[in-house]
Amino acid sequence: MAKAKPRKPKLAVWKFSSCDGCQLSLLDCEDELLAVADAVEIAYFLEATRAQGRGPYDISLVEGSITTPHDAERIHRVRRQSKLLITIGACATAGGIQALRNFKDVDGFISAVYPHPDYIETLRKSTAIHDHVRVDYQLRGCPIDKHQLLDVVGSLLNLRKPNLPDHSQCMECKLQGTVCVMVARGVPCLGPVTQAGCGNLCPTCQRGCYGCFGPKEAPNTTSLGDWLADHGTGRRDVKHLFRSFNAGATAFRRESEARE
Amino acid sequence: MSGRGKTVIGRDGLADLVAILAEDGYRVIGPQVADGAVVYEPLDSADDLPAGVVDDHDGGHYRLRREADGAVFAHVVGPQSWKRYLYPPVQALWRAERHGKGFRVIEEPADDGRDAFIGVRPCDIRAMAVHDRVFDRGDVVDGGYARRRRDAFVVAVNCTRAGGTCFCVSMGTGPAAGEGFDLALTELVGDNGHEFLVEAGSAAGGGVLDRLGGRDATAEDEAAAEAAVGQAAASMGRHMAADAPAVLMANLESPHWDGVAARCLACGNCTMVCPTCFCTTVEDATDLGGQVAERRRRWDSCFAADHSYIHGGSVRRETSARYRQWITHKLATWHEQFGTSGCVGCGRCITWCPVGIDITEEVRTLGGADKGD
């Protein structure tokens, strides 16, 4: 007698404060999208379909940061329904670009931007998902790298270790044979303190790394910042380098604060 | 070897050399300019070579500039090394596909391409000899490396200029290649025009030399080549202390390691550009459906936390421990393991360190600490 086909794992994709770019990376899988749909049941993914399959879910991909009281409550509901919770992107893993508010008085922004500030209910800080609930894996980047996403989903389905190195972006440049933009042309680059995984997009376009994958393991931001400051990058510019997509990541936040 | 002694060829002879090697079925790889650096990539012809390009090196600093003399090999070493070709950054070890309840290893087409390397510097030739001891030890052989190395045709270039971070003289590895090449060139740029003194170092090299034109070298040519190489030897940018192994081993607990760690980014650049660093890790990949699996080996670095991960965590958590591991292995314990230093004095780790940490200076500082500074 033929065995019943095993149930496909249920996948959910959740959005918090974010631009939707990381969810788009999933839709952007193009060639692999059919394989994904074949391997998992996409139960909840509002950006792709209105159909809402009920939980619990085997894998939840969470995009966005926590910026409202409603978010802070909803993320616990997501966690309770999810066997594995994977954050996708700089917003979910570090608070995103909107964590720039963390350095200023948010009421000032609200009254400057909105005609009726009293309609706005927001938290003082934009925080990462792991500040609120347990996270099983983090996919870094602004946006995430689709190959990493496919690798992690593939690793979960096939019970192997995912390939998510926490070493520097520099190693990725060297493996690929990309000439160092900092040493050869003096372009400020966050690669030496940033986690690899993007496929070294910016250095291959002759640009310095913006650090969108966030701090690598053991990031020496002080040494890099001092070197840049000693070699022509202004103090304010060094501060701003650390204050972008991952401004809220601990290592980058501390470095930018030290350079106020 | 060749029936000919040392020979002198002109610029045209260089073009002929590239053409002959291509004709013999080699993929000819040589220096050329890309993205502001001299890199080693396949050559279409000798016109791709970096004529008139000179590279300035210092700690964390590299810039190209032009010189009017049009010398083809006035640059020294670029950010890449030849290990990129002999020991590629990512190598598939095997692939397999699901087959019933088991799996079947996919047969891959044989890897039988042959490379000719043009412009291999004496330090890099020594680096190949270092790798031979690592990968081709008789009892333990890396088949892919050994095959590529055996089939490679090496055209050495003796250095007639030293870079700002070069220290081959103090390592005894240059600036002239004594052995380990098929052909060795010394570039002569002077009143007599632009020529190359060519010497064969193997039967294969002799065979190619026989097919090159040119004229027999005179005593003057040889003297000019010797003087040019001597000039490089006299202008080394850096110097490694002769007692480096002893200094390092006597200072394993020095507070200076914390001083290095305050600057070190643990980014791994030094190990990636080093022509002898050979550490790799193994990664497994699958397709989503679990029908195909692949195991691959990729360059790793002792500056990555994962490199020392054993059950329960990483052994070398602090950057100080990682830097100490790298430099003591490279300069000291490599001798016990492989009977030679792991450093060939090419200076790449100094130039391409984003914050200019200088291996020769760190040894000097530790040596000073040893003497009670």
Side-chain angles (χ1 to χ4, degrees):
Chain A
M1 200 172 78
K3 271 191 193 166
K5 232 185 163 184
R7 182 181 67 83
K8 282 193 207 173
K10 277 163 90 169
L11 178 86
V13 184
W14 308 93
K15 175 189 161 63
F16 287 82
S17 290
S18 59
C19 77
D20 289 34
C22 292
Q23 295 185 61
L24 274 176
S25 299
L26 182 55
L27 293 175
D28 195 30
C29 286
E30 295 173 354
D31 292 346
E32 299 91 347
L33 196 54
L34 286 175
V36 173
D38 203 39
V40 299
E41 177 195 343
I42 299 177
Y44 184 94
F45 187 8
L46 290 184
E47 181 139 322
T49 168
R50 274 179 298 182
Q52 297 182 31
R54 292 169 63 87
Y57 308 98
D58 295 288
I59 303 170
S60 274
L61 302 176
V62 177
E63 178 195 82
S65 68
I66 303 299
T67 58
T68 67
H70 177 240
D71 285 347
E73 184 208 325
R74 188 164 62 101
I75 187 61
H76 287 278
R77 288 211 300 275
V78 170
R79 176 71 263 191
R80 277 198 299 275
Q81 297 181 81
S82 310
K83 200 182 278 181
L84 280 171
L85 189 155
I86 304 173
T87 55
I88 55 170
C91 298
T93 57
I97 195 77
Q98 58 272 28
L100 288 174
R101 71 157 75 160
N102 301 3
F103 300 92
K104 300 283 182 194
D105 174 21
V106 76
D107 292 334
F109 290 136
I110 293 171
S111 50
V113 171
Y114 297 98
H116 297 288
D118 39 321
Y119 289 171
I120 304 298
E121 195 182 353
T122 191
L123 298 169
R124 308 203 71 78
K125 289 191 173 182
S126 168
T127 48
I129 300 300
H130 69 74
D131 292 330
H132 300 265
V133 296
R134 184 171 53 81
V135 170
D136 297 297
Y137 293 102
Q138 293 188 340
L139 286 173
R140 305 283 194 87
C142 184
I144 56 166
D145 174 76
K146 73 169 189 180
H147 302 289
Q148 282 206 337
L149 175 65
L150 289 168
D151 181 81
V152 168
V153 173
S155 76
L156 296 171
L157 297 176
N158 295 294
L159 305 176
R160 67 169 167 84
K161 188 180 155 202
N163 295 305
L164 292 174
D166 60 4
H167 58 231
S168 71
Q169 184 52 235
C170 301
M171 279 179 54
E172 207 169 21
C173 271
K174 292 295 184 286
L175 290 175
Q176 203 162 316
T178 306
V179 174
C180 179
V181 298
M182 193 161 139
V183 171
R185 296 193 299 114
V187 176
C189 178
L190 288 185
V193 296
T194 299
Q195 180 167 305
C198 66
N200 64 341
L201 290 175
C202 294
T204 53
C205 301
Q206 311 282 305
R207 303 290 297 260
C209 167
Y210 292 97
C212 81
F213 265 58
K216 76 173 189 74
E217 171 278 329
N220 192 343
T221 52
T222 305
S223 174
L224 180 66
D226 287 350
W227 177 272
L228 293 173
D230 290 345
H231 291 80
T233 307
R235 183 186 174 87
R236 198 160 165 266
D237 292 336
V238 175
K239 181 184 91 176
H240 286 167
L241 274 174
F242 289 105
R243 202 167 276 186
S244 66
F245 310 101
N246 285 282
T250 306
F252 287 4
R253 174 179 58 76
R254 285 189 183 147
E255 197 52 47
S256 76
E257 284 171 345
R259 292 172 193 276
E260 282 286 7
Chain B
M1 302 231 181
S2 169
R4 305 174 76 179
K6 288 185 185 175
T7 302
V8 173
I9 59 170
R11 280 294 305 265
D12 294 352
L14 204 54
D16 293 342
L17 174 61
V18 173
I20 287 171
L21 292 170
E23 199 177 286
D24 288 355
Y26 289 103
R27 176 174 64 158
V28 185
I29 298 165
Q32 52 195 288
V33 174
D35 299 332
V38 173
V39 298
Y40 308 134
E41 296 287 343
L43 298 170
D44 288 330
S45 75
D47 294 342
D48 292 340
L49 294 166
V53 172
V54 175
D55 44 1
D56 289 328
H57 292 246
D58 202 348
H61 178 91
Y62 176 96
R63 291 291 184 281
L64 296 183
R65 60 185 164 82
R66 294 261 160 202
E67 284 281 347
D69 66 6
V72 177
F73 298 112
H75 64 279
V76 290
V77 292
Q80 302 167 343
S81 71
W82 304 93
K83 77 176 177 184
R84 180 157 206 90
Y85 295 100
L86 292 170
Y87 192 60
V90 181
Q91 300 177 56
L93 297 177
W94 53 264
R95 292 192 308 137
E97 58 193 351
R98 195 181 287 281
H99 183 67
K101 285 184 177 168
F103 65 91
R104 195 156 53 187
V105 172
I106 299 168
E107 273 202 38
E108 308 288 349
D111 165 27
D112 55 2
R114 298 190 304 164
D115 288 337
F117 304 137
I118 293 193
V120 185
R121 300 312 172 123
C123 55
D124 283 344
I125 286 185
R126 187 63 78 93
M128 290 177 188
V130 169
H131 268 181
D132 290 345
R133 287 168 183 250
V134 175
F135 295 125
D136 195 357
R137 301 167 63 181
D139 53 338
V140 184
V141 177
D142 181 308
Y145 172 87
R147 209 273 313 152
R148 287 187 289 273
R149 174 85 165 104
R150 188 189 62 233
D151 290 349
F153 189 97
V154 174
V155 180
V157 167
N158 294 319
C159 291
T160 51
R161 179 184 155 263
T165 56
C166 288
F167 56 101
C168 64
V169 167
S170 54
M171 297 307 297
T173 53
E179 55 182 7
F181 54 81
D182 295 295
L183 289 175
L185 309 180
T186 310
E187 188 166 27
L188 303 170
V189 186
D191 301 336
N192 301 332
H194 190 170
E195 295 178 312
F196 302 86
L197 181 75
V198 192
E199 177 190 353
S202 70
V208 171
L209 184 57
D210 287 341
R211 291 152 67 193
L212 280 174
R215 60 176 174 82
D216 291 343
T218 64
E220 287 77 38
D221 295 322
E222 295 204 34
E226 203 172 309
V229 173
Q231 198 182 335
S235 55
M236 285 284 128
R238 299 288 201 274
H239 174 87
M240 177 63 79
D243 59 351
V247 164
L248 291 169
M249 297 318 278
N251 285 286
L252 294 178
E253 302 300 332
S254 167
H256 182 63
W257 301 118
D258 290 333
V260 186
R263 286 171 285 135
C264 178
L265 305 172
C267 58
N269 272 300
C270 47
T271 59
M272 296 285 117
V273 297
C274 177
T276 70
C277 274
F278 58 82
C279 283
T280 50
T281 187
V282 170
E283 294 173 338
D284 291 332
T286 49
D287 66 340
L288 284 169
Q291 295 305 306
V292 181
E294 179 183 80
R295 173 159 290 186
R296 53 187 181 237
R297 180 166 66 177
R298 74 154 167 81
W299 290 357
D300 197 7
S301 171
C302 50
F303 284 90
D306 265 356
H307 183 268
S308 69
Y309 188 95
I310 54 169
H311 177 75
S314 290
V315 175
R316 291 186 282 272
R317 299 184 65 81
E318 281 82 29
T319 298
S320 54
R322 299 182 203 173
Y323 188 84
R324 181 179 61 184
Q325 161 65 25
W326 175 68
I327 195 173
T328 54
H329 186 215
K330 186 68 49 186
L331 294 172
T333 55
W334 204 294
H335 284 279
E336 293 153 36
Q337 196 178 2
F338 298 113
T340 175
S341 174
C343 175
V344 295
C346 70
R348 286 184 177 92
C349 60
I350 307 173
T351 301
W352 298 98
C353 172
V355 293
I357 296 175
D358 180 342
I359 187 172
T360 65
E361 192 183 315
E362 298 312 321
V363 170
R364 259 194 308 282
T365 308
L366 278 166
D370 193 28
K371 293 182 185 84
D373 267 19

